[in-house]
Amino acid sequence: MTEQDINQLLGKLPQLKQEIQKVIVGQEEVLDEVLITLLAGGHGLLEGVPGLAKTLLVRTLSNAMDLSFRRIQFTPDLMPTDILGTEVLEEDHATGKRFFKFNEGPIFANIVLADEINRTPPKTQAALLEAMQEYEVTYAGTTYTLPKPFFLLATQNPIEQAGTYPLPEAQLDRFLLYIKIKYPTELEELNILTSTTGTRQAQVYPAISGEEILQLRQLVREVSISDDLLTYVNHLVRATRPDTTSSEHIKSYVRWGAGPRAGQALILTSKARALLQGRFAVTAADVQTMAFPVLRHRILVNFTAEAERITPDKVVEELLQHIKLPKTVLV
């Protein structure tokens, strides 16, 4: 791509945000993290109490892009075939022969919303693993490729645990970012009440195509990161593990640390954040900002930490203070 093509492509990102913000009030950090997940080519897990517009955010995102969208409401009786699809017996009216035809499930879309993913049993949750990792689905020995780009956003409610099935650590690790949605500010909440209880309905128009998303994903990988910053990311991830860390805080409160996938996620999302802000080089601020949503679901704290109300976010905060930045990196 020429420089003009790149600038034109990057100009689509502010337009995309503007379209989403016609409906979503505030939540600037959450919106950025969702877009970073999309640009980095991963999947996101959104957590927040009911009524914080998790579902509306994903639906609005799909409306602001020229992509197909499907919503799957996860319930205790949902089966894997309800997600992936199933084979049905059909008859060729010309020859009279019968054959099995695969009917695609809702997973065959560019953007998939897995609403309340922790309300379905592990058997059904696991049906998403191949789709998330390999971007394909295998049924009855045949592999079907998912449309590109493929982007899955799952939601869960942190306060209601009755009748839920917490995601196992191995599946949590497949999510690029664990995005926490907080309550809006007083002014934002007032704006929400004003804009959603009247007659005016905001119209969201597609601002970007699937092909342009794929081009941006390729562009993310071309964003530069210094060797010193790569080493810093490596030290940061390795310091989350009790057996390789020099931090007494980690040794005291962490049971399991992050794996190599965390380092890959931290670098890719830092590159995506830099590109979202119009930069072609990763800074230390990018890495330190993305450390929280990248690591909070990949650090398993022990019973002592839970008893003292020390969360993974507090562990990451301590870690960022413990691992010193190289003096040569961009801040």
Side-chain angles (χ1 to χ4, degrees):
M1 289 189 293
T2 64
E3 186 177 346
Q4 184 179 356
D5 293 334
I6 292 172
N7 290 333
Q8 188 175 358
L9 196 57
L10 291 178
K12 297 276 186 174
L13 293 175
Q15 294 175 28
L16 178 60
K17 284 186 70 173
Q18 286 172 12
E19 290 298 320
I20 297 171
Q21 287 170 335
K22 287 180 181 179
V23 176
I24 303 299
V25 178
Q27 303 291 2
E28 192 80 31
E29 184 180 336
V30 171
L31 180 54
D32 281 348
E33 289 178 1
V34 169
L35 292 179
I36 286 167
T37 309
L38 175 67
L39 292 176
H43 312 287
L45 178 62
L46 280 75
E47 182 181 271
V49 299
L52 293 185
K54 299 185 293 295
T55 304
L56 181 62
L57 171 60
V58 182
R59 186 178 294 278
T60 306
L61 175 68
S62 70
N63 291 338
M65 296 190 288
D66 191 16
L67 298 173
S68 59
F69 170 72
R70 294 290 184 276
R71 177 187 181 215
I72 308 170
Q73 184 63 52
F74 280 68
T75 57
D77 60 347
L78 195 74
M79 298 296 289
T81 51
D82 296 327
I83 298 172
L84 305 179
T86 186
E87 286 186 339
V88 294
L89 187 63
E90 293 194 353
E91 183 178 337
D92 189 333
H93 296 292
T95 62
K97 290 184 178 180
R98 294 183 176 183
F99 60 95
F100 283 102
K101 179 185 176 182
F102 180 71
N103 280 357
E104 295 179 349
I107 196 72
F108 286 86
N110 295 117
I111 300 177
V112 176
L113 169 60
D115 214 359
E116 296 189 284
I117 191 173
N118 59 336
R119 288 203 171 276
T120 201
K123 178 182 179 181
T124 307
Q125 291 174 356
L128 295 172
L129 287 174
E130 184 184 11
M132 292 172 67
Q133 189 66 28
E134 310 297 337
Y135 298 94
E136 59 188 26
V137 165
T138 301
Y139 187 92
T142 305
T143 299
Y144 303 90
T145 303
L146 295 171
K148 293 181 180 179
F150 176 71
F151 181 45
L152 185 136
L153 277 168
T155 69
Q156 67 179 18
N157 175 2
I159 60 173
E160 199 174 352
Q161 298 305 319
T164 62
Y165 304 84
L167 290 170
E169 282 70 25
Q171 190 161 354
L172 279 173
D173 194 38
R174 305 296 175 107
F175 287 99
L176 190 70
L177 294 186
Y178 185 1
I179 303 166
K180 289 194 173 184
I181 305 181
K182 301 174 183 176
Y183 285 112
T185 64
E186 184 177 354
L187 181 58
E188 288 171 351
E189 194 159 359
L190 180 61
N191 289 335
I192 291 168
L193 296 177
T194 304
S195 62
T196 58
T197 55
T199 57
R200 193 176 70 84
Q201 297 291 324
Q203 293 294 319
V204 178
Y205 300 99
I208 198 167
S209 68
E211 183 61 35
E212 288 168 331
I213 290 293
L214 293 175
Q215 290 174 349
L216 282 167
R217 286 182 174 181
Q218 184 58 41
L219 205 57
V220 163
R221 291 182 172 268
E222 294 176 15
V223 173
S224 66
I225 180 170
S226 67
D227 291 341
D228 285 340
L229 212 46
L230 278 171
T231 304
Y232 174 70
V233 169
N234 192 34
H235 288 166
L236 204 60
V237 173
R238 290 183 62 81
T240 65
R241 305 165 195 164
D243 56 339
T244 58
T245 189
S246 58
S247 169
E248 292 301 321
H249 190 85
I250 301 296
K251 291 177 182 178
S252 300
Y253 296 118
V254 175
R255 187 155 40 124
W256 292 103
R261 190 181 278 137
Q264 295 170 328
L266 191 49
I267 291 167
L268 275 176
T269 55
S270 296
K271 287 185 173 188
R273 184 178 187 268
L275 195 68
L276 190 62
Q277 296 186 355
R279 290 181 282 106
F280 290 92
V282 175
T283 65
D286 293 323
V287 174
Q288 293 179 331
T289 300
M290 299 315 302
F292 291 94
V294 166
L295 295 174
R296 65 167 56 114
H297 58 301
R298 293 181 167 100
I299 293 175
L300 197 62
V301 295
N302 56 27
F303 178 76
T304 305
E306 290 176 358
E308 296 182 21
R309 296 186 178 181
I310 293 175
T311 63
D313 276 6
K314 288 184 179 178
V315 171
V316 174
E317 194 175 339
E318 173 67 27
L319 201 61
L320 291 174
Q321 293 176 0
H322 179 74
I323 304 297
K324 300 302 179 184
L325 274 169
K327 293 179 180 179
T328 54
V329 303
L330 291 170
V331 178

